Amino acid sequence: DAKTTQPPSMDCAEGRAANLPCNHSTISGNEYVYWYRQIHSQGPQYIIHGLKNNETNEMASLIITEDRKSSTLILPHATLRDTAVYYCIVRGASGTYKYIFGTGTRLKVLA
Amino acid sequence: DAGVIQSPRHEVTEMGQEVTLRCKPISGHNSLFWYRQTMMRGLELLIYFNNNVPIDDSGMPEDRFSAKMPNASFSTLKIQPSEPRDSAVYFCASTGQLNQPQHFGDGTRLSIL
């Protein structure tokens, strides 16, 4: 499983876009990128995932570079409730279902 | 839709006692995962099942830990005997098809005194 690297913390002003980067330079061709967040000690909440193409849903957008070695999660209009730890995970398409969580990025949305 | 349901939400017990954590996966999901989260080690996978069969238990810390999945709608994680270092939040997650995301329960906060 590919390893991911994220900045330990970021701040974002309320109402602005939050851009959270993730480096996964050892990703394989069949590995997906998943994003989760965890608020306080609640269970991790699924946000979005993708393989090659950029993806968008009601929560966020995921931008994956053409070489797939990095990605960015975009929260278009951050609110105070988006304050959380955000995890970027890379997982294979076949065989193992395992997620390996890193230390994530602690996003603080400021009023 | 009901999500992953875990019980109890909180458990406080004395060292040496047996602890049983329970999980009901989302209906129709065929893979179930047990994770543990501590400040020191973060979120780590303990074991996962596919179609009720344990696939990878390499994350189970030691023989005091055991997990079962007697049917598609129920799993237990048991610690016997419990120790203070087992204090953590234990999460259960489930998923269906390959490449679909795992969905997590709200966790069980376990404190061993």
Side-chain angles (χ1 to χ4, degrees):
Chain A
D1 293 321
K3 183 177 177 180
T4 61
T5 304
Q6 300 177 252
S9 64
M10 293 181 65
D11 290 341
C12 176
E14 189 177 20
R16 304 296 294 270
N19 296 280
L20 293 94
C22 179
N23 183 289
H24 32 80
S25 58
T26 59
I27 193 169
S28 300
N30 63 353
E31 289 182 318
Y32 283 70
V33 180
Y34 294 80
W35 283 84
Y36 282 77
R37 72 181 183 185
Q38 189 173 27
I39 299 172
H40 299 300
S41 291
Q42 297 177 20
Q45 177 190 23
Y46 166 74
I47 301 173
I48 199 167
H49 74 288
L51 181 62
K52 294 181 182 178
N53 300 321
N54 298 337
E55 302 287 345
T56 296
N57 63 20
E58 65 279 4
M59 289 182 68
S61 294
L62 174 60
I63 309 298
I64 302 174
T65 57
E66 193 169 340
D67 63 8
R68 302 204 331 115
K69 293 185 176 181
S70 65
S71 60
T72 300
L73 178 74
I74 302 173
L75 308 178
H77 305 286
T79 71
L80 298 178
R81 287 176 294 180
D82 292 323
T83 293
V85 178
Y86 288 77
Y87 295 100
C88 167
I89 300 163
V90 172
R91 197 201 74 187
S94 62
T96 179
Y97 288 86
K98 291 174 67 169
Y99 283 170
I100 298 175
F101 283 84
T103 53
T105 295
R106 186 173 297 276
L107 175 69
K108 189 173 183 179
V109 180
L110 306 172
Chain B
D1 286 341
V4 175
I5 299 172
Q6 292 188 246
S7 64
R9 291 297 310 277
H10 303 272
E11 175 90 7
V12 180
T13 191
E14 291 188 347
M15 182 175 65
Q17 298 297 306
E18 179 178 288
V19 173
T20 299
L21 311 181
R22 297 172 176 80
C23 176
K24 177 179 170 56
I26 293 172
S27 177
H29 281 186
N30 61 356
S31 295
L32 183 140
F33 307 77
W34 283 101
Y35 291 86
R36 177 172 69 175
Q37 186 171 34
T38 61
M39 289 292 292
M40 292 295 295
R41 299 175 66 89
L43 262 165
E44 51 184 351
L45 178 68
L46 300 177
I47 185 171
Y48 79 92
F49 296 83
N50 190 36
N51 294 322
N52 311 337
V53 176
I55 302 300
D56 185 344
D57 64 355
S58 60
M60 295 285 264
E62 48 196 277
D63 292 345
R64 297 185 297 106
F65 285 69
S66 62
K68 294 182 179 179
M69 192 162 186
N71 57 61
S73 59
F74 183 67
S75 176
T76 59
L77 178 67
K78 188 172 292 187
I79 308 173
Q80 167 63 21
S82 58
E83 297 182 3
R85 60 190 168 128
D86 302 330
S87 298
V89 182
Y90 290 81
F91 291 105
C92 176
S94 70
T95 188
Q97 300 296 317
L98 272 173
N99 300 326
Q100 293 305 303
Q102 296 178 20
H103 295 272
F104 286 75
D106 289 333
T108 295
R109 183 175 294 278
L110 177 64
S111 296
I112 308 297
L113 306 177

